[in-house]
Amino acid sequence: MDEYKEHLRRLAVHDDAFVSLLLGEENTAVASALDTRTAALVRVAATIAIDAAPCSFQHAVAHALAGGATTDEIVATLEAVTPVTGAARVVQCAPKVALALDYDVEAALEQLDS
């Protein structure tokens, strides 16, 4: 059976062992299909899509940087999800992504106002 079919079947029946594997930090189930950098950027995109807590953004961005993603790629990920999540979600999440990248966009905006 093709690997993707096996994964879809196991997800569809909520195979607990497979789901536990996916939830693990070292998600080896996707390792063969996605490189570490790409998988980490997908996690950043998902974090944006669900408008996660700031600590989740910190974790996802740190994971992406550790996986070899650049700051430009992380911001491009934020921009790339705009057609799916909508502009309002992206605008709402931009400061969280910025803080995760050690950039306080709100403070920078206040300086511009001065």
Side-chain angles (χ1 to χ4, degrees):
M1 178 180 287
D2 293 332
E3 188 174 1
Y4 82 92
K5 290 178 182 177
E6 171 77 9
H7 287 213
L8 289 171
R9 183 187 58 75
R10 292 179 77 182
L11 287 168
V13 299
H14 197 278
D15 179 323
D16 286 331
F18 188 65
V19 171
S20 293
L21 177 66
L22 294 176
L23 292 172
E25 189 63 34
E26 295 300 319
N27 186 337
T28 56
V30 299
S32 63
L34 297 176
D35 60 80
T36 302
R37 185 184 125 279
T38 303
L41 289 171
V42 170
R43 288 182 182 192
V44 170
T47 304
I48 296 162
I50 64 168
D51 188 21
C55 63
S56 295
F57 278 89
Q58 292 285 338
H59 184 265
V61 167
H63 192 75
L65 292 170
T70 65
T71 54
D72 287 336
E73 289 172 325
I74 292 167
V75 173
T77 300
L78 175 68
E79 296 165 348
V81 300
T82 303
V84 177
T85 63
R89 175 60 49 91
V90 170
V91 168
Q92 185 175 354
C93 291
K96 295 177 187 179
V97 172
L99 282 175
L101 292 170
D102 293 324
Y103 175 59
D104 189 343
V105 71
E106 292 176 7
L109 289 171
E110 287 176 11
Q111 288 179 343
L112 290 175
D113 288 341
S114 298

